[in-house]
Amino acid sequence: MRDLADQSPVMSDIRKDDGKYWATITYEDTLEEWDSVADEFHADGIVFLCRNCPLHDDVKDRRVRHAGCKHSPTGRCHLDKEACEYFYKLVQQNEVEVVE
C-alpha cells in the first residue's frame, strides 16, 4: 500500500488461507498518450518554429517572415509560426539538425 500511495490504492478484500494473508488491492495507473510527436515535445516544454527548420527555402533578408516550403500545404511557411509535424518527426528520429 505504501508503494502505491500516489496511485490511490484501495483494499477491497482480505482473507486468511492456510496461514497466509491475501488482500485484493485496486489502484489507478496513468498512461500518457500523445496525439502527435509535437505533443511529446510540448510535454517536455520544447517548441520549434519554422525558423528552426532547415528544410524551407533559404532566406537572406532577416526582415522577411515567409519562406517557400515544399512540406507546407500552401507551399509557404511563416517563420515565426510553430513548425509542422513532419519537422518534429525528423527531429525525433535525429534526421535533421535544428537551426538556432
Side-chain angles (χ1 to χ4, degrees):
M1 292 288 283
R2 282 188 209 119
D3 291 343
L4 298 171
D6 60 337
Q7 295 174 312
S8 306
V10 175
M11 185 171 53
S12 58
D13 181 35
I14 189 166
R15 67 181 190 278
K16 185 177 179 182
D17 188 17
D18 292 330
K20 298 178 183 175
Y21 287 95
W22 298 84
T24 302
I25 300 171
T26 56
Y27 60 92
E28 296 177 12
D29 194 13
T30 305
L31 175 65
E32 292 185 15
E33 289 188 30
W34 293 280
D35 293 331
S36 66
V37 177
D39 288 342
E40 284 185 60
F41 281 92
H42 295 165
D44 292 332
I46 301 170
V47 177
F48 293 113
L49 303 177
C50 284
R51 71 174 56 260
N52 300 125
C53 177
L55 303 177
H56 59 73
D57 293 345
D58 195 23
V59 178
K60 302 285 186 203
D61 188 347
R62 298 183 65 81
R63 297 174 295 172
V64 174
R65 298 287 176 233
H66 290 87
C69 178
K70 65 181 179 180
H71 302 288
S72 171
T74 62
R76 295 179 53 81
C77 67
H78 191 289
L79 299 175
D80 294 329
K81 300 293 182 183
E82 186 172 2
C84 64
E85 180 71 10
Y86 180 70
F87 175 67
Y88 278 99
K89 287 179 183 179
L90 292 176
V91 171
Q92 184 185 47
Q93 297 167 0
N94 292 322
E95 292 184 16
V96 69
E97 287 289 322
V98 177
V99 177
E100 295 298 325

